[in-house]
Amino acid sequence: MRFPRFVEAVSRRAELPTEQAATISRAVLHTLAERVTGSEADDLAAQLPDELSGYLAPPAADRATGGPVAFLRRVAERADVDPAVAEVGTRAVLATLREAVTVGEFQDLVAQLPKGIDAMVDPIRRYDGR
């Protein structure tokens, strides 16, 4: 998936202007890189467009900690948006990542996310007979 299509998908899902969707996409990827191992960030980056993969560079310092609130706060700060927009944008980026990378890679990514952030990933709906 090319960068413009990725951002367009995030924009559509989050109902945000394209420029803001691009900014949030970068902020989420940068924050993800702080939360996963360097090898996982590299694996994810290998499946994304060059324009996005650069934001997955592992941080020079230790990995960040904290749950979903801290994660969203970092995204909001980086994207210069309020926390509600950061949450909507993060959900849209995760849903778009789910489509942009292999199933195994996405599962590896989600497995390394802090407890609670994985709840932002829409589950596959199961038919319950209703």
Side-chain angles (χ1 to χ4, degrees), residues 25-41:
S25 295
R26 292 178 187 110
V28 170
L29 292 172
H30 192 90
T31 306
L32 284 173
E34 294 176 337
R35 300 300 178 118
V36 298
T37 63
S39 62
E40 181 55 36

Side-chain angles (χ1 to χ4, degrees), residues 18-121:
T18 304
E19 187 174 312
Q20 192 172 39
T23 300
I24 288 174
S25 295
R26 292 178 187 110
V28 170
L29 292 172
H30 192 90
T31 306
L32 284 173
E34 294 176 337
R35 300 300 178 118
V36 298
T37 63
S39 62
E40 181 55 36
D42 290 343
D43 291 346
L44 184 60
Q47 295 188 29
L48 293 175
D50 289 342
E51 299 95 334
L52 288 174
S53 63
Y55 292 96
L56 287 163
D62 292 335
R63 289 174 46 195
T65 59
V69 172
F71 186 95
L72 292 173
R73 186 174 52 246
R74 291 290 286 164
V75 170
E77 289 169 2
R78 283 193 167 110
D80 195 25
V81 296
D82 65 56
V85 173
E87 182 173 354
V88 168
T90 298
R91 287 179 183 275
V93 170
L94 290 172
T96 305
L97 279 173
R98 184 181 205 164
E99 291 179 353
V101 302
T102 65
V103 172
E105 183 54 43
F106 190 76
Q107 289 173 337
D108 290 348
L109 170 68
V110 171
Q112 289 193 23
L113 295 178
K115 216 172 193 57
I117 293 176
D118 59 343
M120 296 175 76
V121 177

